Amino acid sequence: MDETPGAVAAPADAARAASTALLTDHYELTMLQAALRGGAAHRRSVFEVFTRRLPEGRRYGVVAGTGRVLDAVEDFRFDRERLEFLTRTGVIDETTAGWLADYRFSGSIHGYPEGEVYFPGSPIMVVEGSFAEAVLLETVILSILNHDSAIAAAASRMTHAAAGRPVIEMGSRRTHEQAAVAAARAAYVAGFGPTSNLEAGYRYGIPTAGTSAHAFTLLHDTERDAFTAQVTALGRGTTLLVDTYDVREAVRTAVEVAGPDLGAVRIDSGDLLVFAHRVRRQLDELGARDTRIVVTSDLDEYAIAALAAAPVDRYGVGTALVTGSGHPTCSMVYKLVARAASDDPDAPLLPVAKLSRNKPSVGGRKWAYRRPDADGVAEAEVVGAVPPPPELAAEVERHGLLVPLVRDGKVVGREPLQAARERHRRAFDRLPMSAAQLSRGEPVIPTEYHLGSE
Amino acid sequence: MDETPGAVAAPADAARAASTALLTDHYELTMLQAALRGGAAHRRSVFEVFTRRLPEGRRYGVVAGTGRVLDAVEDFRFDRERLEFLTRTGVIDETTAGWLADYRFSGSIHGYPEGEVYFPGSPIMVVEGSFAEAVLLETVILSILNHDSAIAAAASRMTHAAAGRPVIEMGSRRTHEQAAVAAARAAYVAGFGPTSNLEAGYRYGIPTAGTSAHAFTLLHDTERDAFTAQVTALGRGTTLLVDTYDVREAVRTAVEVAGPDLGAVRIDSGDLLVFAHRVRRQLDELGARDTRIVVTSDLDEYAIAALAAAPVDRYGVGTALVTGSGHPTCSMVYKLVARAASDDPDAPLLPVAKLSRNKPSVGGRKWAYRRPDADGVAEAEVVGAVPPPPELAAEVERHGLLVPLVRDGKVVGREPLQAARERHRRAFDRLPMSAAQLSRGEPVIPTEYHLGSE
């Protein structure tokens, strides 16, 4: 594949929508209105993002989208047109509109940093502020984290199944056009190589790659004409697609046209295991020993693993990546876990939780650390809802998972995407080896709760 | 649920991104560059969007996203910043950038109108222009149609499972924040009632609905305080959420606070069948005979059908809707099916198709009509790749499925969303009754091909 190196600095506003304020469920605003009217709107509140379980059979989750959440919080502003829409349609009254006109999130957000892994009960994000200002962020925060983390979890499994061979993200056409950009970003966090998505290159500086489709071959009178046009324009290092007609004939033509320095051939259909071996043998016989083989037909982590012994140099993954390989969303929720005991501004925080039997929640603001064993391998996710006992305090300090993301309304947790990518590699490397197993199983480490004596 | 009537006229540009040009796979631009250099770029070409199969077990597909495709084609412009990005990163050379600077799609697009149903082989969209201008649109057209049609297909099944009871779209938090807006739109096309997504109300004029979450109850010192605050702010017609603590107690409190004119209660957990019966009985005993029951916990088309005999008035659907109920994407492809026989501007069109055994394509520009039986019920999707024989020409004219969407670069197929919604209802009503079955099966009508004598 022809690849770009990736643009280091994307235009500052390339990633930003005009306003994220209406990417929000109607009920956030009716709750706000009722709380403003009733007087409880300004009670200090703590909301927590967590998940009760991983998708069935998955061994770990991957936090992704954190950087996009920070952008969304900054861009959560109600302009005149949006307020006019909300009052005209009766979603809110004028008093609420007046309050929203000045809306800026002024609270604090802590969270697992992007690329980190997570488990059931991990306090992935903790949002603190008045009820009014924090409840409004629920929908957009969950949308971003649930989508991006689902893609990253699938990407991480594929990255590790590929065992060092680059995996190219090429799923844009199989998902919403903007979700595609976020999917390319999440896949990159989880170790993918380049993406086919140009907007992801433009917004986030992710390297992009791609060469040609069957249409290019069909446009020309002969396959040879197509290969000649491509090599003339893109050089011998290009990737020629060899399965439009007959693969054996195409490989011969490709090497005749480009010479033995041809960069790569791509196979997009058929039995990839058989074809990879045949094409490798043929390329070697033709002297094209350095010409790589790229395969791209309906791959997922299982198909990638099945090709481990095949002479394949790169994998291209589309549908399975952007649909989370069977799990297109996570089940993260955004729950009120503590709030001021009364309307008094100095009232202490009170843990709260609903009692519904099949959706249990643990009240109270959480801390979390990942306990390593003697070899530094993670052995438990430890989550507490009361201040850590003295014998744990140092551990929580040392191995704590929550970092500051927003402080008093100001974003403090922004980082280059590369940092999240490196963090994911390190976090995965510290998990037990069974994390790399593709088979269904329990989370690779258990979650232990410290809930105090109550 | 408190509902807005839906804004009739959304701001003209509310639905539009700055530019859709980079929502595009890298290889579309390398193919362009190679074709410009090689000389074949200006050959007249016909690309077709179709699918080889429906998702496993599904009886019909639903076309959605057509209106969004028209916006995306109009907004497909390369500005200075984007061209600078593409040349700086080496995706394209200066010659190609010069060509792209003036890019406006000047060709024509025909397609199945939005809301129409489709089957394997249906020519869902036909894009005609020079190879250069038409190949560039592949990625963004497929992203939109594959996503929106997947959601609409799931929504249509849910709508029909609900058998006239309104279904509320509330899946925003389970999908990418912009995909959520498109999902609300697609669900509305396929017969859903209001959405929780405010941006969908703002952009597309879809009615929105929502009242409160468990957090609102937990914010208050007692459930009674919360209900009182909500009824005071939103009126007796509001929907009170009754499963934060004990459902029986909550229903009693709700009617005490709001009186027997309470609009609705919502149940979001537990055995919905059992709860619906119990709560209905309790409401009736309390004299709240007109208070409706809304259920919203992890519903899909099967759970909705299972509640058909329960005293439920409205369903709220989230995750299952935005993830396409097991099929989050369609497998629509965008294939070159015909192109000019030579570089001569007057050269005739030549059908083309690749030969790969497991991904067969039918070359040539298609026509299609849905053949009704004597009672007007559809009995076959008829697709032809050669001019229809004289005995069929009148039928194709009368029951033809393709309508003009873009003519010589100008959008001619724009219509109100309501028109697509009504079209879907009519199209579904003309399918055999088995279309409403939720069980797995074959497409409800077969596709017949007229491929001529070759």
Side-chain angles (χ1 to χ4, degrees), chain A residues 351-402:
Chain A
V352 295
K354 66 172 175 164
L355 296 179
S356 311
R357 234 168 308 168
N358 60 337
K359 291 182 179 175
S361 297
V362 178
R365 190 197 178 126
K366 310 294 186 303
W367 49 264
Y369 79 98
R370 191 162 299 144
R371 192 175 65 231
D373 68 11
D375 299 320
V377 178
E379 62 176 21
E381 190 87 340
V382 186
V383 177
V386 289
E391 70 274 17
L392 271 190
E395 289 295 285
V396 176
E397 180 72 24
R398 191 160 155 223
H399 301 292
L401 288 158
L402 289 153

Side-chain angles (χ1 to χ4, degrees), chain A residues 185-203:
Chain A
R185 184 184 179 283
Y188 192 68
V189 166
F192 264 47
T195 175
S196 68
N197 188 288
L198 290 170
E199 187 79 13
Y202 180 59
R203 281 192 206 169

Side-chain angles (χ1 to χ4, degrees), chain B residues 77-98:
Chain B
R77 307 282 173 95
F78 292 84
D79 56 23
R80 201 181 48 73
E81 287 75 17
R82 284 173 171 77
L83 290 175
E84 197 274 322
F85 161 77
L86 292 171
T87 50
R88 175 167 48 85
T89 54
V91 176
I92 53 170
D93 59 22
E94 291 295 338
T95 310
T96 307

Side-chain angles (χ1 to χ4, degrees), chain A residues 25-26 30 43 68 143 172-174 177 196 199 208 211 218-219 243 268 332 339 356 359, chain B residues 22 25-26 30 43 68 143 172-174 177 196 199 208 211 218-219 243 268 332 339 356 359:
Chain A
D25 285 327
H26 185 125
T30 43
R43 290 186 171 185
R68 299 208 308 116
S143 289
S172 296
R173 67 190 57 194
R174 299 281 171 229
E177 70 278 15
S196 68
E199 187 79 13
T208 64
T211 48
L218 294 171
L219 169 68
D243 69 336
D268 185 45
M332 290 182 199
R339 49 105 177 144
S356 311
K359 291 182 179 175
Chain B
L22 295 190
D25 285 327
H26 186 125
T30 43
R43 288 185 174 188
R68 298 205 313 115
S143 288
S172 296
R173 66 191 55 195
R174 299 280 171 231
E177 71 278 14
S196 68
E199 186 79 14
T208 64
T211 49
L218 295 171
L219 170 67
D243 69 337
D268 185 46
M332 290 182 198
R339 47 106 178 146
S356 313
K359 292 182 178 174

